[in-house]
Amino acid sequence: MNKSDYITMCMKHLNDRKVYLIVNFYNPERHFAGLRQLLKKHDKLHITINNVTHLTKLATSLLQLQIFKDKTLRIAPFYSLPKIHKIENPSPGRPLCSSPSTLTYHCSLYLDKVLQPLLIRIPTICTSSSSVIQDLHQLRKVPINSIILCADIKSLYPNIPIHAGIHAVREVCRDFKHHLDELDFICELLEFVLLHNFCTFNEIIYLQIQGTAMGTPLAVAYANIFLYHLERTILTDCHHIYYRRFIDDIFAIMPPASAQQFVTIFNTQHSTITLEQITMNKTGIFLDLQIELIPDPNDINFVNIKHTVYQKPINIYQYIPYMSAHKPHVLYNFILNEFKRYVLLCSHVKDSNITASAFTQRLKDRGYPSHLISKARSAVPPRDSLLANLNRHKHIPIHRTPFATIDLPRLYPQPNWKSLFSITSLSEYAEYKKTYGINDVMIAFKSPPNIGKIITRSTFIA
């Protein structure tokens, strides 16, 4: 793609005046004044460790004051990535904004951490193809008149109506009794983020007045909650056997009349939120699965669910070359886990063998020796064991673990840093015990570029 085509692709989005407006005068101080008033209104502007009454208050105030004093504050650069699976010319792109160090970044980051635990409780959200496999394995067969509905939501992020989205977050939080004591603050802070999505392209500043920017931390959680609020009322009226959604990709098993009813009602809720690439058939593609309803030889009133690995025709399978600098165990584990994935995602042994054979040939073409491939394939456990392992991990409790990253000297032998830097005063707070239980502080050695990634993680496997 040349520069001219790239600019055309970006301007196709930015010229939409229902979503982006050109800003002739940008004054971040005025917007920060509104943010400070918001924090002050909810008693979250000035809080110290000595009188902290709630850990989230401390986190919020520090993050906002930090970015206010930050000299690296910038406007989010706008860019677009082409959708290579689309055949249009010029290719439609995904509108993205690089949000770190922007006006709303820390607000968005805080809201994402607040809303993420809510997503775990929403029943329609799919987290991976493995979770779908677990569900389908328990479902096994469905009535013979069932079909598979698959659909995408057209340009979801920039098309979510802002006030409808805020209303959805408020209602879903109320229904799940999630942060009710801070709900007004959460919704007002969410409104601030959504109404201050500034971006820049070709030295022109734009304000996004509809939807949320792709690239801001809370985008996925916000979109998921909005869609759940939209779909749950529809599903109440439409009979469905199975329904899951991975952000904007929908998969359902329904009677034909219910599938048509679902699509019709969904497309009439909001003028900007519509379904595209709709298929209603005995087969469907969802994530990396190709799912099919096949006749049950033992019962003419039911059909069985068959699924295999789906690989896009445009996939060119650029696996890691065997002569790369990776350690041998990395290459071996990559092959082993790919074989495991084929066995798990294919309900029939014949299909997994076909996929594995094609994978084997591609590896050989990339220079991998036969003995390494054979060793990995022979180590793959039976499918029942893989399914049982999935179920075990599903019930492993998630514990929140406090941690600290400290720049320490390299000493040999290493002393017990944990005992030397034990933070005992925090454990006296009731909020600490409520959040972390009896878990001790974890001391971690990390380079500065990775610290940001670590401190945004909210959960750790015990």
Side-chain angles (χ1 to χ4, degrees), residues 6 11 59 81 140 148 192 424:
Y6 176 75
M11 294 308 299
L81 294 179
R140 293 185 183 274
I148 293 174
F192 175 83
T424 57

Side-chain angles (χ1 to χ4, degrees), residues 90-109:
S91 172
R94 291 183 176 89
L96 300 169
C97 293
S98 177
S99 64
S101 298
T102 58
L103 173 69
T104 61
Y105 177 71
H106 285 297
C107 298
S108 182
L109 192 66

Side-chain angles (χ1 to χ4, degrees), residues 145-190:
N145 66 334
S146 304
I147 63 169
I148 293 174
L149 166 66
C150 293
D152 291 341
I153 301 169
K154 184 178 180 180
S155 301
L156 171 62
Y157 292 100
N159 283 327
I160 300 175
I162 289 180
H163 294 294
I166 297 172
H167 173 74
V169 171
R170 182 181 292 274
E171 290 297 310
V172 174
C173 285
R174 283 176 177 170
D175 291 344
F176 286 96
K177 295 179 171 57
H178 184 72
H179 283 278
L180 294 181
D181 55 334
E182 294 188 332
L183 191 52
D184 288 339
F185 170 64
I186 291 171
C187 291
E188 289 183 36
L189 191 62
L190 175 61

Side-chain angles (χ1 to χ4, degrees), residues 274-346:
T274 56
L275 297 176
E276 64 177 358
Q277 300 182 14
I278 303 168
T279 61
M280 299 183 196
N281 211 323
K282 290 293 184 180
T283 62
I285 296 170
F286 183 60
L287 301 180
D288 57 349
L289 291 170
Q290 182 168 322
I291 305 168
E292 183 180 358
L293 303 180
I294 59 176
D296 187 344
N298 301 318
D299 194 336
I300 61 173
N301 296 318
F302 289 89
V303 291
N304 293 328
I305 303 174
K306 175 186 175 183
H307 44 83
T308 61
V309 175
Y310 174 71
Q311 295 173 320
K312 290 184 177 181
I314 62 173
N315 194 338
I316 57 176
Y317 306 103
Q318 295 260 354
Y319 303 131
I320 303 170
Y322 181 68
M323 298 304 294
S324 70
H326 291 80
K327 298 290 185 181
H329 73 275
V330 174
L331 302 178
Y332 172 77
N333 287 329
F334 147 64
I335 300 172
L336 174 62
N337 287 317
E338 194 70 358
F339 278 133
K340 285 183 178 180
R341 187 171 74 92
Y342 298 156
V343 171
L344 182 64
L345 299 190
C346 295

